């Protein structure tokens, strides 16, 4: 968790909606799974107005100011311009996944697309994978969402560590 510990400020942001999935049922399922745990495919532009603080225990809090004008996903997986929530990072395979403090029991991940803790919400219609990784001195957060099994979208947020200038 040490790689992620600290206070981070948004430096760049990008958002995209993809075209969808096709193929046989097994290929379709695999394409969704690959998209959810994937990264990239989003052009980033300078941005500000979001903060992420991570404690050594993995506990995180988020902040948002009026300076942020993009879209993210709230704790329930809803696309919104005001989507901050608090929770816990859960590590797996060198990455850390953001999980909100509470989600409804019926929206707990089932493992149909990826083993826990990779998916943070799966309510039957909306599936969300929200993870962070280090890229040099930066922290990169990728929020991948598939709605109704057909509509993929992704937000990528690049943070800089505060106090490390």
């Amino acid at each position: 968790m040490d790689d992620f510990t600290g206070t981070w400020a948004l430096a760049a942001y990008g958002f995209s909606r993809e075209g969808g999935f096709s193929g046989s049922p097994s290929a379709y399922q695999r394409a969704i799974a690959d998209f959810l745990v994937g990264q990239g495919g989003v052009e980033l532009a300078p941005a500000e107005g979001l903060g992420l603080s991570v404690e050594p225990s993995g506990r995180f809090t988020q902040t948002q100011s009026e300076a942020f004008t993009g879209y993210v996903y709230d704790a329930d997986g809803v696309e919104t311009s005001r989507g901050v929530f608090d929770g816990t990072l859960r590590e797996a395979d060198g990455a850390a996944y953001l999980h909100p403090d509470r989600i409804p029991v019926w929206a707990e991940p089932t493992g149909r697309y990826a083993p826990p803790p990779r998916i943070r919400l799966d309510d039957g219609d909306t599936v969300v994978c929200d993870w962070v990784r280090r890229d040099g001195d930066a922290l990169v957060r990728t929020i991948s969402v598939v709605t109704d099994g057909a509509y993929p979208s992704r937000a990528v947020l690049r943070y800089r560590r505060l106090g490390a200038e």
Side-chain angles (χ1 to χ4, degrees):
M1 210 56 71
D2 290 341
D3 281 351
F4 308 113
T5 299
T7 302
W8 303 85
L10 185 66
Y13 165 84
F15 185 88
S16 73
R17 286 190 180 81
E18 305 288 323
F21 308 103
S22 62
S24 69
S26 62
Y28 188 86
Q29 183 93 354
R30 183 80 249 148
I32 291 173
D34 289 347
F35 176 81
L36 285 167
V37 297
Q39 57 184 321
V42 177
E43 187 174 326
L44 300 180
E48 59 184 20
L50 291 177
L52 177 66
S53 294
V54 181
E55 298 173 9
S57 66
R59 177 93 184 125
F60 70 84
T61 57
Q62 297 182 83
T63 58
Q64 182 172 352
S65 74
E66 296 300 320
F68 181 71
T69 59
Y71 291 99
V72 290
Y73 297 89
D74 67 13
D76 296 323
V78 176
E79 182 182 312
T80 177
S81 61
R82 310 295 300 170
V84 299
F85 58 89
D86 301 335
T88 304
L89 289 181
R90 299 180 186 166
E91 287 188 283
D93 301 326
Y97 298 84
L98 285 80
H99 286 262
D101 285 333
R102 291 180 301 278
I103 61 168
V105 172
W106 49 265
E108 290 179 0
T110 62
R112 68 179 167 148
Y113 294 113
R118 290 168 182 82
I119 304 299
R120 80 161 151 97
L121 179 127
D122 184 352
D123 67 8
D125 292 319
T126 302
V127 183
V128 180
C129 178
D130 188 349
W131 64 290
V132 293
R133 64 181 172 81
R134 289 297 301 273
D135 182 16
D137 291 337
L139 182 77
V140 178
R141 179 179 180 190
T142 302
I143 311 168
S144 300
V145 177
V146 176
T147 305
D148 297 332
Y151 306 104
S153 57
R154 177 173 288 148
V156 177
L157 302 97
R158 186 175 185 85
Y159 295 88
R160 62 179 173 78
R161 189 188 302 260
L162 294 180
E165 286 88 31

